[in-house]
Amino acid sequence: MELKIRKNGENYIIDVNGEMDLYNSYKLKELVMKMLEKKVERFIINLENVDYIDSSGIGALIYICSTIKKMSMKLIITNIHGSVKKVIELTKLMGYFPITNSIEEAIQQMDE
Amino acid sequence: MENTYLSELKEIKVDEGSPLFDKTNMFYKEFPSDFRQIRYFTLLIVQTAPLEIKEINLLEQQISEIIKNAVKHGNKCDPERKVRVWYSFSPQHAHLVVQDEGDGFKDLEKWNDFNRKRLELLSRHDFENLQDYVSYRTLLSDDNDGGNALFAALEYWNGGFVFNTKRNAVAMLKKYPQKRQGISVE
Ligand SMILES: Nc1ncnc2c1ncn2[C@@H]1O[C@H](COP(=O)(O)OP(=O)(O)OP(=O)(O)O)[C@@H](O)[C@H]1O
Ligand SMILES: [Mg+2]
């Protein structure tokens, strides 16, 4: 799994590439925690290039989501598709996570 | 009636006499409890499944969760302890029995209570209180345990998800909808 950070105005977009599985999901968690320490306030997690997620990946997203909520920062998860979407649906978390269909939509929602 | 049936289905059962434990004509493989090889072992099993049920990695993911639980919670990643897997696949079904050498899922009833609460909050769209029910954790859970795999498992294994009496073996069945020749029914 590879993580890349891009900046768009106040928004930090994290592009996740590869598999969010039991061996590497912690990396995303660690990255977000580091960014929070550096006072980043707006996160967009882009899952466009993620075709596989397991419970550790879902767990990482839950952890990130609840931490950011508690700190009153902003998070949007975007471009969820394929089996990633299926797993989130099976876990019934589609309504729990803040989700948009595209990065553009995410940026728009951030500004609302 | 329909409702009782559904809610009855959505819980983890303990029933060693369940037909899901009948291993006749199933393939068999066993593995050491090596955490680093969980996805590899899973692939060895899933590769025998027909293409149509391997749909977008979901079957693989669901099986790896059960093997991970056996390796980690059951066998405590002790390489001396084995995970035993019986499996059978067809275009219409996936059937597995996964057994470890651990003390068993003792808190199964607590998990069912927790999950019932979770489903209740979901049906009320109570996302505020859902916060405390998105992850099932015990004193033994570590940072890498998501605490959510079995929520999805119970939804995925629509033909049943049943433990043996000792609770160190779980049998599961997924039934796939029949697709008519030439017509794809989505
Ligand atoms: N084979 C097993 N032996 C003993 N306990 C088990 C077994 N399988 C599951 N459990 C118990 O069930 C609980 C829930 O399992 P589940 O897979 O949903 O979550 P998890 O393993 O803690 O995290 P993750 O979501 O990352 O898999 C575990 O915390 C464990 O206590
Ligand atoms: Mg698990």
Side-chain angles (χ1 to χ4, degrees):
Chain A
M1 187 179 73
E2 210 191 349
L3 302 168
K4 285 203 183 116
I5 307 171
R6 300 184 261 159
K7 204 176 167 210
N8 179 294
E10 295 296 298
N11 305 310
Y12 285 79
I13 302 168
I14 304 173
D15 295 307
V16 186
N17 279 285
E19 306 191 316
M20 282 186 70
D21 70 0
L22 68 172
Y23 303 120
N24 48 47
S25 292
Y26 71 94
K27 292 178 197 160
L28 179 62
K29 229 161 52 174
E30 285 183 0
L31 176 67
V32 172
M33 294 311 124
K34 250 189 227 146
M35 290 168 76
L36 281 168
E37 277 170 30
K38 293 199 174 149
K39 307 278 184 269
V40 171
E41 297 186 357
R42 293 171 164 208
F43 295 83
I44 297 173
I45 296 180
N46 179 19
L47 299 184
E48 187 175 359
N49 293 318
V50 178
D51 295 317
Y52 184 95
I53 196 165
D54 67 13
S55 63
S56 311
I58 300 287
L61 292 178
I62 291 174
Y63 183 84
I64 289 166
C65 184
S66 77
T67 307
I68 290 181
K69 249 183 213 167
K70 268 180 222 151
M71 297 176 70
S72 303
M73 307 299 180
K74 283 186 172 177
L75 166 75
I76 291 174
I77 304 169
T78 189
N79 286 317
I80 294 171
H81 65 279
S83 72
V84 176
K85 186 161 183 230
K86 279 273 168 63
V87 177
I88 295 178
E89 280 169 358
L90 285 173
T91 320
K92 300 190 193 290
L93 290 172
M94 286 302 277
Y96 169 79
F97 289 132
I99 293 172
T100 64
N101 289 320
S102 67
I103 293 190
E104 292 70 39
E105 252 179 76
I107 291 171
Q108 210 176 341
Q109 266 194 34
M110 282 290 185
D111 291 328
E112 276 167 14
Chain B
M1 276 319 258
E2 179 76 346
N3 247 330
T4 357
Y5 173 73
L6 278 176
S7 58
E8 215 174 52
L9 210 82
K10 294 286 163 64
E11 72 174 17
I12 299 179
K13 301 263 175 57
V14 178
D15 177 12
E16 199 156 334
S18 160
L20 293 190
F21 278 108
D22 178 0
K23 294 161 185 154
T24 319
N25 293 326
M26 290 175 83
F27 291 103
Y28 174 76
K29 271 190 174 42
E30 55 182 45
F31 309 108
S33 295
D34 182 349
F35 191 81
R36 293 162 307 174
Q37 297 204 71
I38 289 170
R39 288 202 58 192
Y40 171 66
F41 296 148
T42 303
L43 281 177
L44 292 182
I45 291 166
V46 174
Q47 69 184 10
T48 66
L51 254 180
E52 53 259 66
I53 70 167
K54 283 191 230 171
E55 47 164 352
I56 53 168
N57 298 328
L58 204 53
L59 176 65
E60 181 201 339
Q61 186 261 333
Q62 287 298 317
I63 294 174
S64 81
E65 297 295 352
I66 308 308
I67 295 182
K68 175 175 134 189
N69 281 352
V71 167
K72 190 170 182 180
H73 304 306
N75 291 344
K76 312 282 182 211
C77 298
D78 173 357
E80 300 294 310
R81 297 204 217 173
K82 277 185 216 145
V83 174
R84 316 210 289 158
V85 185
W86 292 262
Y87 56 99
S88 118
F89 301 114
S90 80
Q92 287 82 42
H93 87 285
H95 174 199
L96 294 102
V97 179
V98 178
Q99 181 159 3
D100 60 55
E101 298 176 22
D103 299 334
F105 186 1
K106 293 216 177 66
D107 278 348
L108 189 147
E109 285 78 9
K110 267 191 209 160
W111 186 93
N112 273 330
D113 287 343
F114 187 92
N115 188 44
R116 206 169 298 124
K117 235 347 206 319
R118 182 184 74 100
L119 292 171
E120 214 176 280
L121 292 168
L122 276 164
S123 72
R124 282 196 263 119
H125 295 276
D126 184 348
F127 294 115
E128 201 67 44
N129 288 306
L130 186 68
Q131 184 60 51
D132 301 326
Y133 286 87
V134 283
S135 176
Y136 175 85
R137 306 192 65 79
T138 71
L139 291 173
L140 296 174
S141 301
D142 65 34
D143 280 353
N144 289 316
D145 288 320
N148 60 74
L150 292 183
F151 300 148
L154 211 47
E155 296 293 323
Y156 184 79
W157 300 104
N158 58 2
F161 194 81
V162 193
F163 274 82
N164 65 345
T165 310
K166 205 187 161 199
R167 303 172 181 206
N168 67 335
V170 58
M172 65 218 80
L173 175 67
K174 164 89 176 167
K175 292 179 274 185
Y176 299 91
Q178 281 266 33
K179 282 190 181 152
R180 289 224 202 103
Q181 283 268 307
I183 309 165
S184 111
V185 276
E186 261 300 289

